[in-house]
Amino acid sequence: MSDRKATLTIDGIDEPLDLAIYDGTLGPSVIDVGKLVSKGVFTYDPGFVSTAACESTITFIDGGKGILLHGGYPIEQLAEKSSYLEVCYLLLHGELPSAQQKAEFESVIRNHTMVNDQVSVFFRGFRRDAHPMAIMCGVVGALSAFYHDATDISDSLHREISAHRLIAKMPTLAAMTYKYTKGQPFMYPRNDLNYAENFLYMMFGNPCEEYKVSPVLSRAMDRIFLLHADHEQNASTSTVRMAGSTGANPFACISAGIAALWGPSHGGANEAVLAMLTEIGDVSRIDEFVARAKDKDDPFRLMGFGHRVYKNFDPRALVMKQTADEVLGELGLKDDPLLAIAQRLEQIALEDEYFIEKKLYPNVDFYSGLILKAIGIPISMFTVIFALGRTVGWISHWNEMISNSYRIARPRQLYIGPVKRDYVELDERE
Ligand code: SDX
């Protein structure tokens, strides 16, 4: 805490209020407004644009400069040199693992990828055409029905076991969700494959023939998971923290995060980007859609553009764009018409006054769908992939909160409803 303070004078309150200012290691300082309630006033910040809800050591974003650090390491370096499981370890423990720690962590995850066979019964209750995110909300939340042995959230070992179980089982559940919607048999995980290879095997393998995992696709898949791993206090992570602040079990909290991520303003945007590019259909129609995005009377927005924090390039989008080029090139798909539309749309938007003035740049969702499509993942599974990658971020923030002192999250409001009035009998109403 610094000895700096903010002094607030409020009409009708005699004494000015001295509010403590806390400085972080990076980024904006914060003003502690906790004592305002004792003066009969609240702060007001719908959407939490200027509100820090917690302190954290996990991830730092500088939206103005387009910087994203996990444990201090730039996302560009992690994307180039690290792997998803190594970044999982970093997010959970705050340090890159030693060779031994990395081997042990990978072994723990590899040996927890199966789910209780009873879980497969849950799927039977869904329609085959259910949206995969609806299924994931259900089956992930239901995991808490199987792990009564490790849901004492005050026990750090139980918290670690739950984190390992969630990281290990999300690919299995995601692949089961996909297989169920396809009417194909579930594929059991294999311990001879790495994390991304195993996921692709469970997604696209079948019991009738050998499935060879493409190294190009598994490397791209791992990169996608890594780029989605964490993003400080975004809507779904804040949802997990809020659910966790009540003492709910970690599986229920992650299920809440999946539900929040589903919205098209958040993780659902990757699915919406592909739908938008498909609707545009040809570069000749881009101007029409850009005009719609700028029209205040048209609810259409350019999906994959804009961000609450980034007012510069989302660094993940830059890595994603480079990965899209690599993967589509290696697969001989560079002439994918949707790639051409995406590249031209980005170019037009970045040169357009409206987007420049509002600082709207491509975000993590703009190019990810093109890679997922090239890998063979259907659009309806795109947000499931986002949830899979983000699970480690959610559970890391949950663990950080629970392992420090925390209080139940309970925001207040500005009440603008009716003042007190007496009940009106039915026969006295108009
Ligand atoms: C993710 O928070 C995170 O970190 C999220 C995330 C993560 O990793 O967890 O990064 C993942 O959710 C990325 C964002 C994915 N969503 C989209 O791509 C959907 C399209 N973009 C938006 O709807 C919007 O940009 C948000 C939701 C991302 C941000 O919304 P804000 O911060 O509330 O900004 P806003 O809606 O107030 O927009 C500011 C202005 C508005 O115009 P004015 O009212 O000031 O005139 O910019 C305009 C908006 O109309 N605007 C857009 C636009 N995004 C904002 N106009 C056209 N197209 C867009 N995409």
Side-chain angles (χ1 to χ4, degrees):
M1 177 172 0
S2 72
D3 52 11
R4 288 191 304 140
K5 62 181 178 5
T7 302
L8 183 64
T9 54
I10 301 174
D11 288 349
I13 294 178
D14 300 342
E15 289 298 307
L17 283 173
D18 284 343
L19 304 174
I21 291 180
Y22 308 137
D23 298 326
T25 43
L26 291 171
S29 300
V30 297
I31 300 172
D32 185 340
V33 295
K35 68 180 174 184
L36 285 185
V37 64
S38 66
K39 302 296 178 189
V41 290
F42 300 143
T43 58
Y44 184 65
D45 184 18
F48 308 124
V49 178
S50 300
T51 294
C54 63
E55 58 183 38
S56 179
T57 64
I58 298 173
T59 289
F60 174 73
I61 301 172
D62 181 327
K65 298 193 183 103
I67 290 172
L68 169 56
L69 309 177
H70 291 319
Y73 298 100
I75 190 66
E76 297 85 354
Q77 294 182 25
L78 294 170
E80 185 192 342
K81 302 172 189 290
S82 188
S83 68
Y84 177 66
L85 282 189
E86 185 174 76
V87 169
C88 286
Y89 186 96
L90 171 62
L91 292 169
L92 284 169
H93 299 284
E95 296 294 339
L96 289 170
S98 65
Q100 183 181 343
Q101 288 166 333
K102 183 176 178 181
E104 286 169 0
F105 184 72
E106 288 175 343
S107 169
V108 164
I109 298 302
R110 184 180 305 116
N111 290 291
H112 282 82
T113 49
M114 280 212 296
V115 293
N116 185 304
D117 234 26
Q118 289 289 101
V119 170
S120 57
V121 176
F122 292 147
F123 288 82
R124 299 274 174 267
F126 292 102
R127 288 171 45 141
R128 291 281 180 177
D129 62 352
H131 193 289
M133 283 295 278
I135 299 175
M136 287 297 285
C137 286
V139 294
V140 172
L143 285 183
S144 51
F146 292 86
Y147 297 119
H148 299 293
D149 64 327
T151 48
D152 173 359
I153 62 171
S154 65
D155 181 333
S156 60
L157 182 60
H158 283 198
R159 294 200 300 270
E160 188 174 35
I161 291 170
S162 296
H164 292 164
R165 280 172 164 157
L166 280 157
I167 294 166
K169 297 176 195 310
M170 282 299 274
T172 309
L173 292 171
M176 290 172 79
T177 296
Y178 171 66
K179 286 299 196 189
Y180 181 73
T181 60
K182 295 280 287 181
Q184 290 183 2
F186 298 143
M187 298 297 285
Y188 285 105
R190 279 175 41 185
N191 291 352
D192 62 320
L193 300 175
N194 70 31
Y195 193 84
E197 290 169 342
N198 204 9
F199 175 65
L200 292 176
Y201 167 74
M202 293 188 287
M203 282 282 290
F204 301 120
N206 69 62
C208 311
E209 58 198 2
E210 191 192 356
Y211 176 78
K212 289 290 286 168
V213 183
S214 149
V216 171
L217 299 189
S218 58
R219 205 169 47 246
M221 196 75 257
D222 193 84
R223 173 84 58 85
I224 290 259
F225 292 149
L226 188 155
L227 291 172
H228 287 87
D230 188 51
H231 213 237
E232 58 130 279
Q233 307 311 320
N234 59 85
S236 53
T237 299
S238 298
T239 300
V240 171
R241 279 181 174 261
M242 183 168 263
S245 76
T246 71
N249 75 72
F251 304 98
C253 295
I254 298 303
S255 178
I258 295 172
L261 185 75
W262 194 359
S265 289
H266 190 15
N270 55 16
E271 181 178 339
V273 167
L274 253 287
M276 175 187 73
L277 294 175
T278 306
E279 186 186 0
I280 292 173
D282 184 277
V283 290
S284 62
R285 293 194 62 204
I286 289 174
D287 289 340
E288 170 197 333
F289 282 81
V290 169
R292 284 186 56 197
K294 292 155 61 175
D295 178 355
K296 294 291 333 135
D297 299 325
D298 188 328
F300 173 78
R301 286 196 165 184
L302 222 44
M303 302 314 279
F305 266 78
H307 200 278
R308 171 62 61 76
V309 177
Y310 289 121
K311 301 310 171 190
N312 197 319
F313 267 94
D314 178 337
R316 301 166 298 173
L318 293 172
V319 178
M320 206 69 90
K321 179 177 179 180
Q322 179 199 335
T323 305
D325 278 341
E326 285 166 13
V327 173
L328 294 175
E330 286 169 332
L331 296 174
L333 299 173
K334 282 283 257 202
D335 58 355
D336 180 342
L338 294 182
L339 175 64
I341 294 170
Q343 289 171 330
R344 184 76 185 108
L345 176 58
E346 178 190 14
Q347 190 183 14
I348 291 174
L350 292 179
E351 291 164 1
D352 183 286
E353 259 317 297
Y354 173 91
F355 291 87
I356 294 168
E357 184 246 324
K358 293 188 186 294
K359 296 185 169 55
L360 302 174
Y361 290 85
N363 58 49
V364 68
D365 293 308
F366 188 64
Y367 279 102
S368 57
L370 291 170
I371 304 168
L372 295 173
K373 178 173 174 285
I375 292 172
I377 292 171
I379 292 179
S380 63
M381 282 288 292
F382 283 7
T383 311
V384 171
I385 302 300
F386 194 146
L388 194 169
R390 184 54 58 87
T391 292
V392 64
W394 289 333
I395 201 68
S396 298
H397 281 275
W398 172 82
N399 185 54
E400 178 178 68
M401 177 182 74
I402 302 293
S403 44
N404 292 295
S405 66
Y406 66 97
R407 303 178 70 186
I408 188 168
R410 204 288 187 205
R412 304 304 303 274
Q413 64 179 10
L414 173 68
Y415 177 71
I416 55 171
V419 295
K420 184 172 174 290
R421 52 184 172 168
D422 293 328
Y423 183 79
V424 179
E425 297 301 335
L426 189 57
D427 57 9
E428 291 169 14
R429 296 172 208 161
E430 276 90 52

